[in-house]
Amino acid sequence: MPAPAAGEALVKVRLAGVCSTDLALMDGYYPFTGVLGHEFVGEITGAPTAPERVGERVVGSINISCGHCRECLACRPNHCLNREVLGIKHHDGAFAEYLCLPLDNLHRVPDVVPDRAAVFVEPLAAALEIPELVPIKPSDRVLLVGAGRLGQLIARVLALTGAELDVVARHAHQRQRLQGIGARCIEEPEVADGHYDLVVEASGAPGGFALARRALRPRGCLCLKSTYRGEVPVALSTLVVDEIRIIGSRCGPFPAALRLLEQQRVDPTPLIDCVEPLANGVVALQRAAEPSVLKALIDCS
């Protein structure tokens, strides 16, 4: 069992979600060694400096910042120059019975939000970072490229803006889970050149980037939610000529994600395809890698 450092809490993990990043790390995307997993819901079982928080059901933001570098002092802790990242960089993650995180990273889960919804808070917050960075009007034409694990949540967030939303979803099971959220599923050949005010690229594929760029109108905005492995060819001169804005987007606001779940404005639970006990964690990772599986969970309780 890990021992919490000063200012940290010990958390008993209840559920953990398998993310595409976990699969990429296993495939050598980043040289991480340790316990994977950064999507979780758990219970604080030890907090030496805040014993009143013991017993809280919590989720945790994944960036562990130093608090004293120039980015932290500029109120950008997610970009801390010395950051560790839960289950991704220098910090053991959530595919375990217990984990440690700073108390400031831990957010209490409202009682009405079940564990199977709360485990989605981290990726839902990442989806919410898009409207944090890009003003979206109800009159905007928006295209989402990619309807995988994160893309499904992004679609649900973008649908709340009232914008005209098209989603490029390649697979039938992806289209089925988008029914009834207020989005139109289309095929790649149906994407009109230069038609959209905002395009969100969440496919993780170079071809997805090319499609997203082609779909943008002049002075449109391209929001990148994919972390590509390797280099992606880009015709930079067209970005200049068309005055395209490119915005990278990573982690997002946990309180807003928890509020959406509490108000039942987003229901991520239909995305769950399997739940395996921690003893079968390898099976969960194998299932998550199957093309037809959107979300695999690991029951660590």
Side-chain angles (χ1 to χ4, degrees):
M1 183 184 302
E8 287 190 337
L10 180 68
V11 177
K12 175 70 177 73
V13 182
R14 296 166 69 143
L15 276 180
V18 181
C19 171
S20 296
T21 300
D22 300 315
L23 302 179
L25 286 167
M26 293 173 60
D27 196 36
Y29 162 68
Y30 181 84
F32 173 69
T33 56
V35 179
L36 290 170
H38 56 276
E39 302 175 4
F40 76 93
V41 56
E43 180 181 335
I44 296 177
T45 58
T49 59
E52 71 279 1
R53 295 196 63 182
V54 171
E56 281 187 15
R57 192 165 57 108
V58 293
V59 292
S61 52
I62 67 176
N63 295 287
I64 300 119
S65 56
C66 70
H68 55 73
C69 72
R70 69 167 185 264
E71 294 301 315
C72 287
L73 295 176
C75 298
R76 292 187 292 264
N78 282 354
H79 294 279
C80 169
L81 301 177
N82 306 303
R83 72 181 178 274
E84 300 176 355
V85 186
L86 181 72
I88 297 175
K89 182 179 180 182
H90 304 317
H91 198 99
D92 282 340
F95 296 165
E97 291 185 73
Y98 292 89
L99 61 80
C100 290
L101 270 178
L103 285 158
D104 288 345
N105 286 54
L106 297 171
H107 303 260
R108 188 184 68 80
V109 178
D111 292 341
V112 297
V113 179
D115 285 352
R116 286 193 174 207
V119 74
F120 285 90
V121 166
E122 193 279 332
L124 180 57
L128 283 164
E129 184 70 356
I130 297 169
E132 282 279 302
L133 297 174
V134 184
I136 304 173
K137 303 186 298 294
S139 58
D140 282 342
R141 295 166 300 189
V142 179
L143 176 69
L144 169 62
V145 180
R149 295 176 180 90
L150 181 56
Q152 291 281 332
L153 296 173
I154 292 172
R156 285 158 172 77
V157 166
L158 294 177
L160 295 176
T161 67
E164 179 186 305
L165 175 61
D166 290 343
V167 181
V168 177
R170 299 180 62 186
H171 304 291
H173 73 95
Q174 295 174 339
R175 294 190 289 271
Q176 186 272 328
R177 315 233 201 159
L178 291 169
Q179 291 179 2
I181 72 162
R184 182 175 71 116
C185 293
I186 62 175
E187 304 284 346
E188 290 186 22
E190 298 177 77
V191 175
D193 291 358
H195 177 73
Y196 295 93
D197 304 291
L198 167 66
V199 180
V200 178
E201 206 298 285
S203 73
F209 179 93
L211 177 66
R213 170 63 190 96
R214 176 168 61 80
L216 266 177
R217 64 162 174 81
R219 288 197 169 181
C221 179
L222 174 57
C223 182
L224 301 180
K225 293 299 291 189
S226 297
T227 49
Y228 303 97
R229 187 174 181 179
E231 297 182 356
V232 176
V234 181
L236 293 176
S237 63
T238 68
L239 302 177
V240 176
V241 171
D242 286 347
E243 298 182 319
I244 298 299
R245 290 176 294 142
I246 297 181
I247 295 179
S249 173
R250 188 165 45 93
C251 299
F254 270 56
L258 286 164
R259 187 167 60 252
L260 285 186
L261 294 175
E262 183 179 24
Q263 297 172 352
Q264 299 182 347
R265 299 182 68 194
V266 171
D267 179 13
T269 57
L271 306 182
I272 299 170
D273 284 307
C274 71
V275 182
E276 294 287 345
L278 182 58
N280 291 347
V282 173
V283 175
L285 293 169
Q286 292 169 339
R287 290 294 315 278
E290 296 175 8
S292 61
V293 171
L294 281 176
K295 181 58 70 173
L297 302 181
I298 299 176
D299 187 341
C300 303
S301 59

